[in-house]
Amino acid sequence: MVEKIRDTLRQYARLNRDVSGISEDADLYACGLTSHATVNLMLGLEDAFQVEFPERMLRRRTFETIGNIRESIAELTAGLPAAAS
Amino acid sequence: MIDAVSDRVTDIPSEIAASRREYLTALFASGVITDTGVPGVYGKGRIFERVLGGFDRFITESGLDQGAEVFRFPPVISRADFERSNYLKSFPHLTGSVHGFRGSERDHTDMLRMVESGSDWTDHFHSTDLILTPAACYPLYPMAAGVLPRNGRLFDVQSYCFRYEPSNDPARMQIFRQHEYVRIGTPEHVSQFRDIWLDRSQAMLQAVGLDAQPVVANDQFFGRGGAMLAASQMEQALKFELVVPIAPMNELTAAVSCNYHQDHFGSAFGITTADGEIAHTACVGFGLERITLALFKAHGFDVTRWPAPVKTTLGL
């Protein structure tokens, strides 16, 4: 799942460094993630993982680190057949 | 006309909608403002303009010690500058753009036939290079492009602004005047500016008998992505509003808003500090129609009976 998150970050997040070198707990906002790019990232993650972030997850914190994104997606895909991807 | 429109901003309870309509009707009856048949677009009478003009001058006087550069722009900005501002990313639903006719005589005849038959003649219109100004500070940022002086810059702007949100709430107009102070500089300049004006604007409203409360607020961003932008704006406390009662039912409406844009405009328009960093910006915007309506709400429609200190401050 983390690789797919990294791919989505590469496509939408417009970070100021190579996504491969960013650790799971690094602050993505400090890596150049802007508010508007967060919106694109959110929509990109929804497409990639076939999920819809509920309103309670539409917070800065959800997209702050790769680890936070992984946890949110794991929660949303728990029990779904697509979760294996 | 009034009854035909719903408030598209939020689903509002029917008793609030009814009280807004009732208050709007009272405003029309008093002659303070005039119905044009379009929700949120009103003509203003002599008394309304005298009060609004009084507060407008009070804003200018209250900022004289700051030495702001004064600019007045017409209520349109170039399409290219508008695109660079990224307004469309956040507020496509509030945008208004100017269209014009460049067709042939045959197109003209066609179009008139469509007008007569009641069909949509605007297909014959094409976009121009102009967008209606969404906030008074927007024309400034392209003008400030480049390297700032060491102390940054401070501007005083006032303009009609347009937002496409027809509503029966008398306080939510589609076209209205904003008077703003805009600071462009380092994060320190901007945060100092915001501290000064949060206090000062509250004191200014108090001086005319409006008891305004500061609240952390968010803009009406578009869509689900917008919900996230709004949450993020709240979490970072980037927007404060001073809210006052305008309509009945004790609803509170923002009369002043204080916005910290971080490096959004600095980065979009290539504005840098003397040290080469991307400039930060902030503005404090006074909603002139809203403040005027709040004054009528607080002191009544008969200006001659307003408290003497309020009349003195407004030069009435």
Side-chain angles (χ1 to χ4, degrees):
Chain A
M1 185 198 287
V2 169
E3 260 327 291
K4 201 161 163 183
I5 294 173
R6 287 186 195 278
D7 278 346
T8 314
L9 281 169
R10 271 184 207 102
Q11 223 174 322
Y12 297 101
R14 298 189 177 187
L15 302 182
N16 56 21
R17 65 193 72 173
D18 180 18
V19 173
S20 317
I22 296 177
S23 69
E24 279 195 42
D25 59 357
D27 182 347
L28 295 175
Y29 298 108
C31 299
L33 183 64
T34 65
S35 298
H36 282 299
T38 311
V39 174
N40 294 337
L41 173 65
M42 173 197 85
L43 296 171
L45 289 164
E46 290 191 338
D47 282 349
F49 290 95
Q50 293 295 297
V51 292
E52 186 171 309
F53 290 101
E55 201 174 321
R56 69 183 161 82
M57 285 189 182
L58 299 179
R59 297 284 180 275
R60 214 174 142 75
R61 214 185 145 271
T62 307
F63 304 91
E64 195 169 9
T65 65
I66 293 176
N68 286 6
I69 296 173
R70 180 174 47 74
E71 276 171 31
S72 300
I73 291 177
E75 184 189 327
L76 294 175
T77 54
L80 297 179
S85 69
Chain B
M1 187 70 208
I2 292 179
D3 291 323
V5 174
S6 64
D7 192 317
R8 67 172 221 173
V9 177
T10 46
D11 286 328
I12 47 166
S14 59
E15 67 270 22
I16 290 185
S19 82
R20 286 175 178 177
R21 278 198 298 273
E22 199 177 300
Y23 190 54
L24 198 51
T25 306
L27 284 166
F28 291 156
S30 72
V32 165
I33 61 172
T34 306
D35 192 5
T36 66
V38 181
V41 181
Y42 309 117
K44 286 102 184 182
R46 185 176 66 87
I47 297 295
F48 189 98
E49 285 301 299
R50 276 191 68 200
V51 173
L52 184 143
F55 199 87
D56 195 38
R57 277 190 301 278
F58 182 39
I59 297 170
T60 302
E61 285 160 14
S62 303
L64 281 179
D65 64 318
Q66 306 282 301
E69 302 172 56
V70 176
F71 282 96
R72 295 292 179 263
F73 297 93
V76 284
I77 62 172
S78 86
R79 194 214 292 234
D81 287 338
F82 177 76
E83 288 168 3
R84 286 174 74 192
S85 76
N86 287 315
Y87 189 83
L88 266 185
K89 283 189 183 168
S90 300
F91 310 105
H93 56 309
L94 300 180
T95 305
S97 74
V98 179
H99 289 61
F101 179 72
R102 277 282 180 275
S104 63
E105 284 189 278
R106 187 174 298 279
D107 293 330
H108 182 212
T109 312
D110 247 15
M111 181 168 73
L112 293 180
R113 201 173 295 131
M114 291 167 100
V115 173
E116 259 176 50
S117 69
S119 52
D120 184 7
W121 53 270
T122 57
D123 278 353
H124 281 287
F125 269 54
H126 300 282
S127 52
T128 65
D129 286 336
L130 297 173
I131 305 292
L132 298 174
T133 300
C137 58
Y138 271 63
L140 274 183
Y141 304 112
M143 200 188 77
V147 183
L148 294 168
R150 187 140 295 276
N151 284 327
R153 292 176 82 175
L154 175 72
F155 296 98
D156 166 330
V157 283
Q158 197 255 64
S159 172
Y160 262 107
C161 304
F162 177 84
R163 295 191 192 158
Y164 180 44
E165 45 181 355
S167 163
N168 283 331
D169 178 356
R172 190 169 294 284
M173 297 185 187
Q174 293 198 71
I175 186 148
F176 54 92
R177 280 160 284 184
Q178 263 185 354
H179 192 153
E180 292 191 38
Y181 284 102
V182 186
R183 186 75 168 105
I184 309 183
T186 63
E188 293 72 34
H189 289 143
V190 165
S191 94
Q192 195 185 22
F193 165 85
R194 204 165 76 143
D195 291 346
I196 291 173
W197 279 100
L198 254 180
D199 288 348
R200 198 175 281 196
S201 53
Q202 197 173 3
M204 287 165 66
L205 292 178
Q206 266 157 10
V208 290
L210 298 178
D211 185 20
Q213 297 307 316
V215 293
V216 178
N218 61 267
D219 287 310
Q220 291 171 31
F221 295 105
F222 179 72
R224 291 179 54 246
M228 194 163 67
L229 293 174
S232 167
Q233 192 180 29
M234 294 277 277
E235 280 169 40
Q236 297 178 84
L238 298 178
K239 185 183 186 78
F240 288 92
E241 288 177 344
L242 295 181
V243 295
V244 294
I246 294 180
M249 307 285 291
N250 297 321
E251 285 180 81
L252 293 175
T253 305
V256 177
S257 82
C258 215
N259 305 284
Y260 178 26
H261 317 119
Q262 298 172 306
D263 63 358
H264 177 86
F265 290 109
S267 151
F269 290 100
I271 313 170
T272 54
T273 65
D275 292 329
E277 300 291 326
I278 296 175
H280 281 224
T281 61
C283 65
V284 54
F286 295 83
L288 296 179
E289 275 80 359
R290 284 185 172 182
I291 290 169
T292 305
L293 286 173
L295 286 165
F296 285 114
K297 168 75 177 164
H299 307 306
F301 291 142
D302 184 357
V303 175
T304 59
R305 300 175 68 172
W306 285 14
V310 174
K311 286 198 282 188
T312 308
T313 302
L314 297 174
L316 298 172

